[in-house]
Amino acid sequence: MPLLSAFQEALAFLTLGLVRPWGEVWPRWIPGLRSRRIPVYAAVVPAALGALACTIYGVLFTWTTLHADMEITRWGEWLMNICYVPLVAWGPLLAVVTVHYYRRRAHG
């Protein structure tokens, strides 16, 4: 579980590369690629697939939660929903950032 959590955090951190300048060039510590521009599709394709996967997961999570027979108080249900809203929003927001990255890099 700790490795899976670390992997998820690393992928989430890469999302910042879509909006920060360091997401446009390879780091200096990568031999053979250092300081070269990252091909647009090398960032857009994985980000788009990640956005699709996160969106599907968010929809399935929401549907399952709404149709589950949980023994939970009304306040507990509200708290759970508030805590999981960022998870559900991650996919669509990642899609928006990916489109913006593509437009900025491919047409700019």
Side-chain angles (χ1 to χ4, degrees), residues 51-76:
L52 179 65
C54 288
T55 301
I56 290 171
Y57 178 78
V59 168
L60 292 176
F61 175 82
T62 303
W63 189 86
T64 303
T65 302
L66 292 175
H67 292 85
D69 186 25
M70 297 186 287
E71 303 252 346
I72 190 170
T73 66
R74 193 73 165 146
W75 289 105

Side-chain angles (χ1 to χ4, degrees), residues 16 19 28 38 41 45 50 53 72 75 83-84 89-90 95 98 100-101:
L16 290 176
V19 295
R28 290 180 298 216
I38 295 174
Y41 288 107
V45 171
I72 190 170
W75 289 105
C83 290
Y84 279 102
W90 191 269
T98 302
H100 173 49
Y101 180 88

Side-chain angles (χ1 to χ4, degrees), residues 24-38:
E24 298 181 9
V25 294
W26 293 103
R28 290 180 298 216
W29 54 267
I30 298 180
L33 295 175
R34 68 181 63 169
S35 299
R36 290 187 183 173
R37 291 184 63 81
I38 295 174

